[in-house]
Amino acid sequence: MDDDRFDAIVVGAGPAGITAAKEMAAAGLSVVVLERGQFPGAKNVWGGILYREPTEALAPGFEDEAPLERPIVEQRYLLLTDDGMMGATYRSQRFAEPPFNAYTVLRSPFDRWYATEAEEAGAEVYSEFTVVDLLWEDGAIVGVTTGNAEGELMAHCVVIADGANSLLAQKIGLHREWAPIEQALVAKELIALPADVIEARFALPPGMGTALEIFGESTAGLLGYGFIYTNRESLSIGTGALLEDLIESGINVNDMLDRFKAQPAIAPLVAGGETLEYSGHLIPEAGYNRLPQVFADGAVVVGDAAQLVNPVNREGGNLAMLSGKLAAQAIIEAKAKDDFSAMGLSRYRELLDESVVMADLHKIRNITDFAHARPHLLREYPRVLSGMFEEYLRVDGVPKKTKQKKIVAMAKALPKRRLVDDLVGAARALI
Ligand SMILES: Cc1cc2nc3c(=O)[nH]c(=O)nc-3n(C[C@H](O)[C@H](O)[C@H](O)COP(=O)(O)OP(=O)(O)OC[C@H]3O[C@@H](n4cnc5c(N)ncnc54)[C@H](O)[C@@H]3O)c2cc1C
């Protein structure tokens, strides 16, 4: 330290904050991470799929050291009705051999391990430190106030990595209070089951895992999805929807999860398991069109706090990590120029704009508005499709020609103009 200030204080020891701390410490900056949990990851929640390639780029060799659950060899996309299920599965032997594409990971052990990476690089990581406010001097942020005896800590730059619904970023006026349409609320349960039971139920080779994403009845038809991810000896199961839809419908997300688990196609998958954990969490869904300002005089905002989540491709952790790295790069450059002003730190936004983070968020920038305006997508279409499949598959003495006519009639009963509008709209929002 060249004075009594740290170069950087990082608020929050999630993937974004730890990556930022690790990168800055490795470059020789003095860095302290303050985490409110009992330890990094103590209460952190995700589904959770960790992608190998982006993680390897930031934490080389992590596969040998990090606590990982199962490599994902298969992805299932399913549509649920109240009594049925249909869908598509992609399984590849190429995903079952190194280099793997993705792993299931439990946040608590993973975040704890990842924080040691930052410590090894030279950062100080303190748990049970809640940052309650930011310190200002001449219009610039110069530190934080903690709720602990240590009181105030000073730094040239504060990295705001406090996750979804960041109170600190809001406090410094980088964004307004997020509206219910800009956040999803998810309930998640961790259910213990023996490894051999998981492998038999999901038809998995020993040690390998699958990821199920389930639409329709899994969210009572609201905009969102349910998921089941296989861990070594547990299942992560959850469901959630846009907060606005939950409020409007009056549906409680915990009841939604109970209903999801009880659905006849899902119940046998979780049967006999013991609940180990139950949690609820917000997912930022403001998207590219409503992204907040991510830098200020003396501060940058990373990860969920900056709304950097791609809900379509289930990417949040890797975007958080990459944003932490890019913020660190900007702060390292700011230190070299001794310029921690908003202008100096605007380099972070430039780096984000040049990265895959913004490219991907830009690509899906209209998807939430598109889907939210069309509630029938997840309510009506699964029911109609299910009826068509049942008619096609049931052998009941009715001639096939008659069945075919019935199926065509079901399709014709859908409003044509709306169907075309949905297809064109989906293509526009996704391509
Ligand atoms: C149900 C669910 C499923 C998800 N599934 C996936 C998935 O499968 N794959 C994926 O890539 N992403 C997934 N995500 C998204 C992913 O979890 C987030 O994008 C990612 O965790 C963001 O990292 P972060 O470091 O920005 O925030 P967080 O991980 O939320 O970390 C923020 C940290 O800040 C701490 N903190 C908060 N306030 C303070 C304070 N005032 N003082 C000190 N510390 C503070 C918190 O305790 C926490 O440790 C999922 C999210 C949810 C909710």
Side-chain angles (χ1 to χ4, degrees), residues 11-17 34-37 41 44-49 107 129-131 161-164 168 186 227 229 281-283 302-305 309 314-318 320:
V11 185
L34 304 177
E35 165 56 45
R36 71 178 170 190
N44 290 350
V45 179
W46 77 347
I49 305 293
R107 282 294 296 278
F129 264 79
T130 301
V131 170
D162 55 348
L168 294 177
V186 182
F227 59 85
Y229 303 138
H281 208 278
L282 289 169
I283 301 185
V302 294
D304 275 15
V309 173
R314 189 192 48 205
E315 293 180 41
N318 55 326

Side-chain angles (χ1 to χ4, degrees), residues 186-203:
V186 182
K188 181 196 159 184
E189 210 170 315
L190 190 66
I191 297 182
L193 280 172
D196 57 337
V197 172
I198 292 174
E199 284 152 13
R201 283 186 189 177
F202 292 87

Side-chain angles (χ1 to χ4, degrees), residues 152-232:
E152 298 177 347
L153 292 173
M154 310 286 284
H156 294 294
C157 186
V158 174
V159 178
I160 299 177
D162 55 348
N165 205 17
S166 168
L167 295 179
L168 294 177
Q170 196 183 327
K171 223 167 200 173
I172 61 173
L174 291 185
H175 64 81
R176 59 191 153 71
E177 194 175 336
W178 295 113
I181 198 173
E182 293 165 336
Q183 313 175 69
L185 179 62
V186 182
K188 181 196 159 184
E189 210 170 315
L190 190 66
I191 297 182
L193 280 172
D196 57 337
V197 172
I198 292 174
E199 284 152 13
R201 283 186 189 177
F202 292 87
L204 290 168
M208 297 293 152
T210 181
L212 281 62
E213 254 121 52
I214 307 158
F215 299 83
E217 178 59 22
S218 56
T219 60
L222 304 184
L223 182 53
Y225 61 86
F227 59 85
I228 301 178
Y229 303 138
T230 55
N231 305 311
R232 278 175 201 271

Side-chain angles (χ1 to χ4, degrees), residues 252-370:
N252 177 308
V253 77
N254 302 317
D255 296 341
M256 193 194 269
L257 180 53
D258 285 344
R259 192 165 142 176
F260 177 38
K261 285 190 301 173
Q263 201 274 0
I266 301 300
L269 299 176
V270 296
E274 183 200 343
T275 300
L276 300 176
E277 264 175 44
Y278 198 96
S279 48
H281 208 278
L282 289 169
I283 301 185
E285 302 249 347
Y288 185 91
N289 293 336
R290 303 181 185 100
L291 276 191
Q293 173 91 305
V294 292
F295 57 88
D297 282 311
V300 292
V301 191
V302 294
D304 275 15
Q307 299 278 318
L308 303 175
V309 173
N310 173 349
V312 174
N313 299 90
R314 189 192 48 205
E315 293 180 41
N318 55 326
L319 303 188
M321 287 163 113
L322 185 51
S323 71
K325 178 193 158 83
L326 299 177
Q329 192 176 326
I331 295 168
I332 294 163
E333 289 177 23
K335 170 148 169 112
K337 294 181 193 152
D338 193 24
D339 177 9
F340 293 94
S341 67
M343 179 71 97
L345 293 171
S346 66
R347 174 80 179 122
Y348 165 48
R349 175 68 203 228
E350 274 174 31
L351 291 167
L352 270 182
D353 284 337
E354 291 160 10
S355 74
V356 69
V357 177
M358 288 305 187
D360 285 356
L361 293 187
H362 183 262
K363 179 176 172 291
I364 56 153
R365 66 195 179 284
N366 296 320
I367 191 68
T368 303
D369 291 338
F370 160 79

Side-chain angles (χ1 to χ4, degrees), residues 6 9 32 34 129 135 142-146 150-155:
F6 290 96
I9 293 173
V32 64
L34 304 177
F129 264 79
L135 293 172
V142 291
V144 300
T145 307
T146 70
E150 284 73 4
E152 298 177 347
L153 292 173
M154 310 286 284

